[in-house]
Amino acid sequence: RVLLVEDYEPNVLVASSFLEAFGCAYDVANNGAEAVKRAKDTQYDVILMDVQMYGMNGFEATAAIRRFE
């Protein structure tokens, strides 16, 4: 299971196309805060995190996820 964290819709379309082609089950979070919430609610094997996002950026979201792991 993969969590794709991306706020730019064209990038979501490209990345999701690759994930589907590889047969991966995935969820999409549109910002860092949503990524933290989803990571708390669901066990993911991989989180693909955008770094530059408005609000909580990828570094902050990753740090928040690591704190509760």
Side-chain angles (χ1 to χ4, degrees):
R1 185 130 198 113
V2 177
L3 176 60
L4 173 61
V5 186
E6 176 61 63
D7 61 346
Y8 185 60
E9 190 62 32
N11 288 347
V12 172
L13 293 173
V14 170
S16 62
S17 295
F18 279 107
L19 291 170
E20 289 172 8
F22 290 126
C24 297
Y26 67 94
D27 295 321
V28 177
N30 295 310
N31 57 56
E34 185 180 343
V36 172
K37 182 183 181 317
R38 286 182 177 267
K40 284 182 179 178
D41 295 341
T42 305
Q43 177 76 30
Y44 290 100
D45 299 308
V46 175
I47 298 176
L48 301 175
M49 181 76 70
D50 182 11
V51 175
Q52 296 179 327
M53 294 181 286
Y54 292 105
M56 181 184 286
N57 68 36
F59 293 115
E60 295 165 332
T62 299
I65 291 167
R66 291 290 185 196
R67 278 194 294 273
F68 71 79
E69 280 188 321

